Amino acid sequence: MIIAVDGPAASGKGTIGAALAAHYGLPHLDTGLLYRAVGEAVAAWIDDPQIEAIATRAAQALDLDALDGEKLIGADAGVRASRIAVFPGVRQALFDAQREFALKPEGAVLDGRDIGTVIAPEADAKLFIVADAQIRTERRARQLEARGATVDRARMLRDITARDARDAAAPHGGFRPADDAVLLDTSNLDIEAAIKAAIAVVEAAIARKAASRT
Ligand code: C5P
């Protein structure tokens, strides 16, 4: 079974993706980490006129097994990731690794922006997680503060809004929910309720699939 969990920055898709993976005993890939790792690898060149070629080479050389989620969680890494994610060469270079993960024989959960539309359009269950930008900012701020970081909430809200705009206007057409994705608005849900709702979506997808086979 392939489960695709897409959505904007700090919508809760990573937490939901990890919870679904644990619930169904599937491997989980947070695909934002790939873009964040490329962004970090080229941080020194982010304003260089050659950044597209530099970032594409870094994406081609990325080692999936060396990704360190804790090092890449920061707000600045997210902003850099969204700057290099617009380059077609970067997206192409990261496509194969994501596709290979999606096709693991035991199934997989992937979270990101284009899992249900580009990476695994055949996914058995697709969720698109949304939440109000203020609420996403507060959640991400608390997550970082729990790790000892000092957070400027006004700046974080600006960064998240700018990232939403850049992601929406990306040259590849921007990120949109797949036609067959179920929209889950977590603005007014705590994490337990959001996970419960996500599991209900997957269960409904499994039931639909079983019914279509009979
Ligand atoms: O999800 P996360 O906040 O870690 O993603 C960081 C950035 O990486 C996003 O703002 C987006 O620009 C990019 N990204 C992407 N495609 C994905 C996952 C992330 O373009 N599948």
Side-chain angles (χ1 to χ4, degrees), residues 42-51 83:
V42 303
W45 296 275
I46 201 79
D47 293 315
D48 189 291
Q50 298 298 316
I51 182 63
R83 289 187 60 182

Side-chain angles (χ1 to χ4, degrees), residues 1-2 24-28 100-109 124:
M1 172 166 68
I2 304 176
Y24 291 104
L26 296 171
H28 171 224
E100 194 180 318
F101 196 94
L103 294 181
K104 278 178 184 287
E106 66 270 42
V109 179
D124 302 283

Side-chain angles (χ1 to χ4, degrees), residues 9 13 30-33 35-36 78 81-82 85 91 98 112-115 140 163 167 175:
K13 62 187 184 308
D30 169 355
T31 63
L33 283 184
Y35 292 89
R36 285 170 178 260
S82 78
R91 304 202 75 78
Q98 295 176 81
R113 299 289 194 292
D114 59 351
I115 308 302
R140 182 52 57 90
R163 235 178 349 132
D167 287 348
F175 301 115

